Amino acid sequence: MTADSKPGAALDAARRTADLTALGDRPEVDVLVIGGGVTGTGVALDAAARGLRTLLVEREDLAFGTSRWSSKLVHGGLRYLASGRVGIAHESAVERGILLRTTAPHLVRPLPQLVPLLPGVSTAQSSLIRAGFAAGDALRIAARTRAATLPRSRRVAAAEALRLAPTVRRDGLRGGLQAWDGQLVDDARLVVALARTAAAAGATVLTRVAAVSATGDSAQLRDTVTGETLRVSARAVVNATGVWAGEVDHSIELRPSRGTHLVFDAAAFGGLSAALTVPVPGSISRFVFALPAAHGRVYLGLTDEDAPGPIPDEPQPTEAEVGFLLDTINTALREPLTRNDIRGRFAGLRPLLKTAEDSTADISREHAVLTAPDGLITVVGGKLTTYRQMAQDAVDAAIAQAGLPAAACRTTALPLVGAVTGAARDRIDAPPVLIERYGREASHIVSAWLSDPALAEPVAPGIDVTAAEFDFAITHEGAHTVADLLDRRTRIGLVPTDRAAATPAAEAALARHTTIGT
């Protein structure tokens, strides 16, 4: 039986109420996880799959923080190999392969990466990039990812480069360098799938529940909807709150780094079908990427800037970062993009461990599992691609510290809810766009369309999300508010005008179902 066929994989308001009641009757768990991002949901899945009574609490919504602000790339760690960090480069390549083959083949797809060889890219720089791509091939082979999944890198002719990236400059174009990596259809959808799979494995997953305080064996929780409080005892407590980790464990010092992206209509890039990769002038190791994305969009990123001070719920790009991204990508385009072409923008904070002198661009993305004197375990650092290994290490630490009887880690071979590939994927009678978002569960959306044709209507003109998808988010994916629907279960909200257009449909969907009243 697959996870998506189990009733336990569905998260809705009724389940939340029942889970809170059950927790009040029995407020003792083996593992309490604080934080509902990719790392926290990964920890909850790992712990529950090992047979541990697991509780995850998140004060807002699933993927509310950094986990929804990534580049949506599942990459093999090439930049780390270039700086001599062989361990994390290999780990990234291994985890990329697990995601592509087993964990979420419906949410992750191979993506070609193109570096156009324009006059601004010198022969020496071209040779360095080619050598880097060859090293990436070696990483792929070492990680046992087949070339049929991620083809080997190669040089392409100018005509092929223009087919992949039609708006690239033609004058002086010497062709391009192509490599392959992984791309998520959406990072927030990965988090939701992890949470639902954890729930199917027996974990209790509660959003809008804040950990007011926590130690190594207990936490004071508050339902932010009702204001009610509850003290929970746990044999192990894992702090997986990302950039907010220092608010749970005050001994943790982070140095957040802001990564900014701009959102464009796909038409601005003429049907881009690869990750257009442009070297930053004056640098041999930094690039910006234009990435084809869901909903007919392109994301342009990425910056890497120090972000000291209080941690905002929604970081904002600076005008300097916007200018940097436009200036860099325009070195490769025939017609320069302007601020008028920007449809939206977003920024995320990376939870990097503080070091003495490094710039944030140089701080290692390796993760750390830290244990406070009172036993509170914090997992921090790392990146989206390696979330599974981070979770495994955190659960291993919790088991060792608390002496928990548990099975071995299962997540290298555990598909997420909806996972499907090969012939089984081909047999799903649903549009490809639905299969990319829901995998095996796309049939649920189609069934809703057939039972009520009104649910097949777009939530707003020109937006490729239907009313049935909003309903499914409420009945299965733990969505309780308009923001949950527009900003995380779908990414409509990344473009403010689209968000405004789709808000009435989101409100109507919530009115059709019982919600928690937020």
Side-chain angles (χ1 to χ4, degrees):
M1 179 177 284
T2 57
D4 48 299
S5 64
K6 295 180 181 178
L11 300 175
D12 62 7
R15 177 168 181 161
R16 181 182 186 275
T17 299
D19 283 346
L20 280 167
T21 300
L23 187 63
D25 293 339
R26 186 186 169 198
E28 302 88 25
V29 298
D30 292 326
V31 178
L32 167 62
V33 185
I34 305 171
V38 70
T39 306
T41 53
V43 171
L45 173 56
D46 189 302
R50 299 196 204 197
L52 299 172
R53 186 172 189 235
T54 304
L55 167 65
L56 179 144
V57 295
E58 160 58 47
R59 68 181 178 185
E60 298 287 350
D61 182 31
L62 298 170
F64 182 81
T66 303
S67 294
R68 62 171 158 146
W69 303 128
S70 78
S71 297
K72 287 73 175 147
L73 291 177
V74 176
H75 58 83
L78 184 58
R79 67 173 292 184
Y80 312 115
L81 192 64
S83 57
R85 296 166 181 153
V86 178
I88 189 173
H90 177 69
E91 179 180 274
S92 297
V94 168
E95 294 301 322
R96 176 185 63 186
I98 292 170
L99 275 161
L100 280 163
R101 290 190 307 270
T102 304
T103 307
H106 60 309
L107 296 177
V108 186
R109 63 172 183 138
L111 177 71
Q113 176 182 357
L114 174 73
V115 180
L117 296 177
L118 291 160
V121 180
S122 68
T123 302
Q125 193 172 21
S126 171
S127 297
L128 282 173
I129 295 169
R130 184 69 189 92
F133 283 176
D137 292 336
L139 276 177
R140 174 188 58 75
I141 294 169
R144 300 184 179 181
T145 300
R146 297 182 305 160
T149 301
L150 292 177
R152 62 173 297 177
S153 62
R154 65 191 180 105
R155 182 162 180 161
V156 299
E160 176 70 359
L162 290 168
R163 184 187 70 79
L164 293 168
T167 57
V168 162
R169 293 178 186 269
R170 298 171 185 263
D171 293 343
L173 180 64
R174 310 190 305 275
L177 299 176
Q178 183 190 60
W180 289 77
D181 226 328
Q183 183 186 34
L184 281 163
V185 65
D186 185 63
D187 45 8
R189 294 206 60 76
L190 175 66
V191 175
V192 172
L194 283 163
R196 293 181 60 212
T197 310
T204 298
V205 177
L206 294 172
T207 59
R208 270 82 184 187
V209 174
V212 178
S213 62
T215 65
D217 61 6
S218 66
Q220 184 76 13
L221 307 180
R222 180 171 60 84
D223 182 345
T224 64
V225 178
T226 65
E228 295 180 1
T229 60
L230 171 68
R231 187 160 196 85
V232 171
S233 298
R235 296 180 67 181
V237 179
V238 178
N239 171 20
T241 54
V243 289
W244 292 278
E247 296 179 9
V248 179
D249 181 349
H250 299 295
S251 69
I252 302 293
E253 284 193 86
L254 298 179
R255 186 174 176 181
S257 162
R258 185 174 56 251
T260 285
H261 293 80
L262 306 178
V263 183
F264 296 85
D265 284 329
F269 284 84
L272 183 68
S273 58
L276 176 57
T277 305
V278 179
V280 174
S283 172
I284 62 171
S285 61
R286 291 191 65 195
F287 301 84
V288 300
F289 307 89
L291 305 163
H295 309 305
R297 298 169 180 170
V298 169
Y299 300 147
L300 174 64
L302 178 69
T303 64
D304 202 332
E305 301 293 334
D306 251 329
I311 306 297
D313 282 348
E314 295 196 8
Q316 296 299 318
T318 66
E319 285 304 311
E321 289 172 307
V322 173
F324 163 78
L325 292 173
L326 287 174
D327 289 346
T328 303
I329 197 66
N330 282 338
T331 64
L333 301 181
R334 287 198 305 278
E335 296 292 335
L337 297 169
T338 71
R339 280 171 166 77
N340 291 333
D341 295 306
I342 299 171
R343 296 289 313 282
R345 56 189 73 187
F346 61 93
L349 297 179
R350 307 176 184 91
L352 306 181
L353 282 170
K354 188 173 184 179
T355 59
E357 300 294 337
D358 289 340
S359 73
T360 55
D362 296 326
I363 294 175
S364 173
R365 268 42 170 187
E366 292 184 69
H367 66 271
V369 178
L370 310 171
T371 303
D374 66 2
L376 177 66
I377 296 169
T378 295
V379 54
V380 72
K383 54 201 177 69
L384 184 147
T385 304
T386 59
Y387 82 87
R388 193 212 60 81
Q389 185 64 57
M390 294 170 66
Q392 179 180 339
D393 291 349
V395 176
D396 284 346
I399 289 170
Q401 177 182 286
L404 292 168
C409 177
R410 296 177 48 215
T411 54
T412 57
L414 182 62
L416 299 187
V417 58
V420 66
T421 189
R425 179 182 180 127
D426 296 338
R427 288 194 295 269
I428 297 173
D429 187 12
V433 68
L434 286 186
I435 299 173
E436 289 174 0
R437 294 174 192 165
Y438 302 96
R440 193 183 301 273
E441 292 188 314
S443 57
H444 293 310
I445 307 299
V446 174
S447 293
W449 293 351
L450 295 175
S451 64
D452 183 354
L455 295 178
E457 293 299 316
V459 296
I463 295 177
D464 64 351
V465 175
T466 65
E469 293 175 74
F470 278 178
D471 282 11
F472 188 79
I474 296 166
T475 60
H476 286 71
E477 297 181 338
H480 300 296
T481 70
V482 168
D484 293 351
L485 293 173
L486 298 179
D487 300 334
R488 289 171 287 278
R489 303 307 179 277
T490 69
R491 306 316 293 276
I492 293 171
L494 289 176
V495 174
T497 54
D498 288 351
R499 192 183 201 283
T503 293
E507 293 171 341
L510 290 166
R512 289 194 293 270
H513 299 278
T514 302
T515 66
I516 62 174
T518 58

